[in-house]
């Protein structure tokens, strides 16, 4: 899971959200319990690839995994402001 997350982070820095999206999905698939941090990163990649609804879903899953997660809350606010 950590390797996939690291790969997603690298793709994010390289501004390749499509690749980051796939890496974060793989990271989550390899985890027993979903990580709120990875879910936020996945949601951000969805938003960057023009899929804000899927991004919102990932941010909400992050909040379910860790109530009050600050990055998830900020990301949701950002999506709401865009709409």
């Amino acid at each position: 899971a950590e390797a996939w997350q690291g790969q997603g982070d690298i793709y994010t820095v390289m501004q390749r959200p499509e690749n980051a999206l796939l890496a974060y999905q793989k990271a989550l698939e390899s985890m027993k319990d979903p990580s709120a941090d990875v879910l936020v990163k996945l949601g951000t990649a969805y938003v960057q690839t023009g899929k804000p609804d899927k991004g919102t879903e990932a941010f909400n899953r992050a909040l379910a995994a860790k109530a009050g997660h600050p990055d998830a809350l900020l990301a949701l606010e950002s999506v709401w402001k865009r709409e």
Side-chain angles (χ1 to χ4, degrees), residues 1 5 17 21 31 38 42 52 68 77:
Q5 182 178 347
L21 186 68
M31 293 178 176
V38 177
L42 176 70
E77 180 183 13

Side-chain angles (χ1 to χ4, degrees), residues 14-55:
M14 295 172 62
Q15 297 182 358
R16 293 173 56 186
E18 297 87 4
N19 297 101
L21 186 68
L22 295 173
Y24 292 136
Q25 287 173 330
K26 292 282 188 184
L28 287 166
E29 289 170 8
S30 64
M31 293 178 176
K32 181 180 176 184
D33 296 314
S35 160
D37 292 334
V38 177
L39 285 164
V40 170
K41 292 176 182 187
L42 176 70
T44 301
Y46 273 127
V47 171
Q48 291 173 342
T49 57
K51 299 173 184 153
D53 291 344
K54 288 206 172 260

